[in-house]
Structure formats: structure tokens, C-alpha cells
Amino acid sequence: MSELAAPAKINIALVVGPLRDDGKHEVTTVLHRVGLVDRIVLETAPRLHVEGFPDDTLVTHALELLAEAAGVSPTWAVRIEKEIPVAAGLGGGSSDAAAALRLANETLATPLSGGALRTIGASVGADVPFFLTDGPQLGEGDGSALTPLALPQGHTVLLLLPHGAGKSSTTAVYAAFDTVGGADGYDVRRTRLLEALAAGDLVGLPPNDLDSSPLADELRALGAFRADVTGAGPAVYGLFQDAEAARAAEEALSSLGRVWIVPPAW
């Protein structure tokens, strides 16, 4: 039996472009792990079985693809211990799938290469390859083409999931984006994002193209130097240079939803 932590992620920036030929959208995004984690426990078993999260599809699909690529039967039992909220824009399902791929790959007589695992991960979901790499990444293409980033360090992360916040399917979020011509000006926003990164300026990154929240404004008023929705939402993050200010913001906003103060995970 082996186990692995599966961290959440935040999109410190997310700009979205037009539809690609493969039906996905062109994106440029800054992906960063944070210290809110699920735990994945795996052992060999007579057949593939995933428990702990009845709605799982990503872990199951990832391990089926791994077995097919390795030419073996999918003989793993997995337990998912959930802490990352579901459908919140924090990437929990993708992170779980990546952790399960890592653990199952280690049980193979001839483990697949990291590149092969990332190829499998990209077939499961655009965020999965990110969780199979180390450190912050710039995601391009459909989000799975990755370039390592050296981001400023030393900040504290506050995550806020508003009470009663619901999330439309990712497909519906992108459809709404297309309906209002959201891709217009993508090249300009992408250039702004890349220039801010080159300058090490997280404050200057453009806002999330897919969603916004007045809670981001509240977080900035409470001392966050960067605050926005992550992914397609509805979770909101704030980055604080001052850990005390983050704790004060947690107290001020705790009545509005579930709040976590976590370190960035490098």
C-alpha cells in the first residue's frame, strides 16, 4: 500500500482565447499548487476499484488508460480521502488522477516515463499534466502545454468558497464565454500576462476571463495584493504578503463561506 498527497491548484491568471480545431479553447494560464490536499491511497487488487468519492470518474479513467498503455490489467484499489471541495475551480479531481497515476505507475514492472504519464494525463483532463510536474507552470494551448515558472515567493494564500455557490459545468461556462464574444482581445490580454510574468509582477496579471467575484474586491480591501476567482470558479483566492492580514481576512469573511489559509506548494 502506498499513498500520496494530491494538492489543489489556483489559477493566478487565466486568459481564454478562441475555440481550437479540437473543440477546446486556447488558454494562457498561471498554475500554482497550494497546501489544501486530498490523499490518495493505492494498493494492488484483483480488479480496479475506487472508493471514498462515489462521483469519481477521473481516477478510474486515468488508471484504465495507464493499464492500456502499459499492456497490463488495471489491478489497483484506490481510496480517495477528499478535502478539496468538488467543482470549485481548485483542480481536485485532476490532482487525484495525477496522484493515482504516479502511485500505480510505481507498481509496474517497467514504469512508464514521465512524458508518457503526462500524455495519458492530457487525455484525462487539461490540468492533469500540471499535477504531474513540479513547481508553478505557465499553461498554454489547451492548458496542458507547460513551461516552468519562477514566481515570487513568501506569500500566504487564502481560499474562500462562498456558501451556496454553485458552478455550472465547465462546458456551460465556456459556452457562456463564447456567447458574449469573450475571446475578443485575447492576444492583448495574453501579451499583458506574459509581460507581467517577465517582470515578476503578480499584481499586473490580467483578471480571470471566465468568472469574477465581488469577494475578490473584499480580499484586496483586506490586504491581498492579488485576488481573483480560480479556474471556472466559484472559489476565490487572495495572496497576502502579511500572514497576519490573511488571518484577519479569514475572520472577517468566515461568515460568507468556507475559508482556508494555506501555504503555496512549490
Side-chain angles (χ1 to χ4, degrees), residues 88 158-162 212-213 215-216 219 227-230 233-238:
L158 183 149
L159 302 176
L160 171 60
L161 181 62
S212 62
S213 172
L215 292 172
L219 282 165
D228 207 344
V229 176
T230 178
V236 180
Y237 71 86

Side-chain angles (χ1 to χ4, degrees), residues 20 43 62 65 92 109 113 117 134 138 187 195 208 210 220 250:
R20 297 149 40 103
E43 60 185 336
L65 291 177
S113 68
L117 282 187
D134 296 323
L138 176 69
D187 289 339
E195 289 177 347
N208 186 321
L210 291 181
R220 284 188 287 270
E250 176 187 27

Side-chain angles (χ1 to χ4, degrees), residues 101-249:
L101 281 172
R102 288 182 189 267
L103 291 173
N105 192 50
E106 292 173 357
T107 71
L108 299 175
T110 304
L112 275 60
S113 68
L117 282 187
R118 288 189 290 275
T119 297
I120 292 170
S123 297
V124 177
D127 283 341
V128 178
F130 165 67
F131 289 109
L132 291 166
T133 63
D134 296 323
Q137 301 282 328
L138 176 69
E140 298 178 276
D142 68 350
S144 64
L146 301 170
T147 304
L149 292 175
L151 296 182
Q153 301 187 24
H155 52 269
T156 296
V157 182
L158 183 149
L159 302 176
L160 171 60
L161 181 62
H163 288 313
K167 176 185 175 181
S168 302
S169 70
T170 300
T171 299
V173 171
Y174 276 97
F177 174 82
D178 291 335
T179 297
V180 298
D184 296 347
Y186 169 67
D187 289 339
V188 173
R189 297 191 301 277
R190 181 177 185 276
T191 297
R192 178 182 166 191
L193 185 157
L194 296 176
E195 289 177 347
L197 281 181
D201 177 18
L202 299 186
V203 177
L205 291 168
N208 186 321
D209 272 355
L210 291 181
D211 200 3
S212 62
S213 172
L215 292 172
D217 295 330
E218 292 198 37
L219 282 165
R220 284 188 287 270
L222 290 165
F225 67 87
R226 171 82 185 172
D228 207 344
V229 176
T230 178
V236 180
Y237 71 86
L239 307 182
F240 290 80
Q241 293 288 9
D242 184 346
E244 287 297 327
R247 285 189 282 272

